[in-house]
Amino acid sequence: MSKYTTEVFDSAIDGSKFVANKIKALIEKNNAEGKKTVLGLATGSTPVKMYKELIRMHNEEGLSFANVVTFNLDEYYPMEKNSEHSYWYFMHENLFNHIDVKPENINIPLGNLPQEEVDQHCLDYEAKIDAEGGLDIQILGIGRTGHIGFNEPGSELDSVTRQVTLAQITIDDAAPGFGGVENVPAKAITMGVASVLKARCIYLMAYGENKAQIVSDTLTNDITDQVPATYLQKHSNTVFVLDTEASSLLPA
Ligand code: PGA
């Protein structure tokens, strides 16, 4: 029996504000109690409007991220931090440079380590999430393969942070930003399905017509490793935040 809920909004802006408000409420509650907030964050076009809203809340409403710890889902491999294609760069441009999060509280998998150091880095990343007390909120987008993070079809329920090979659809979708498929890294480091499911609360955002099919596959299929987002049906506190277009193929 699935326990997820869906929230459908007229626009991506409205959905993004809904999620930003949830994050704000938790941070403010924890700040008032002198507690940290641990956020799992995502890249891609989907969360950008939500990050803009968090920045606005910081600037106009005094929302402080000084007690927030962040863990990003994934990073390309190989990838230098300062490359304009890195998720490190993306997160700083779209969020971190505009708020008061402490640099030492930002965690993003490193794409620039020698191959022989990658496995240990993944173990350390997973352990650090646990050491911080686990993720209070995990933000997700969804790829057309049904990936969450870079957990492509075939990813297992008990998978943890690890190096993976990207699916061809994912490479094709990334190609325009990289100036051609040949420039897209073949691999990535990603938190696993189990790492994501450990979060106490998950918001998966999907906006636009091109997400309608995978959203429908995710919510109407049984759990299958061929659509990794279906694993979210196992989670006790996941909200699918959709706009009208992304929800258009769901049964009425
Ligand atoms: P997008 O990517 O937000 O750019 O559509 C989502 C994803 O691949 O997870």
Side-chain angles (χ1 to χ4, degrees), residues 16 20 24 32 47 66 70-71 98 115 118 124 132 142-143 146 153 159 163 167 179 189 209 214-215 217 221 228 241:
S16 301
K24 180 184 182 211
T70 67
F71 287 90
H98 311 286
Q115 182 59 53
V118 168
D124 293 346
E132 291 287 0
I142 183 169
S159 56
Q163 191 176 46
I189 295 172
E209 206 182 348
I214 195 63
V215 164
D217 291 349
N221 277 331
V241 180

Side-chain angles (χ1 to χ4, degrees), residues 21-31 37 136-137:
N21 273 313
K22 296 288 186 189
I23 292 175
K24 180 184 182 211
L26 183 68
I27 293 175
E28 286 184 339
K29 176 172 174 287
N30 285 340
N31 284 352
T37 303
D136 291 310
I137 292 180

Side-chain angles (χ1 to χ4, degrees), residues 2 4 214-224 227 230 233:
S2 302
Y4 65 82
I214 195 63
V215 164
S216 166
D217 291 349
T218 298
L219 295 181
T220 59
N221 277 331
D222 291 339
I223 294 171
T224 165
V227 183
T230 58
Q233 295 176 27

Side-chain angles (χ1 to χ4, degrees), residues 43-47 141-143 147 149 211:
T43 51
S45 56
T46 303
I142 183 169
H147 70 202
K211 295 290 169 74

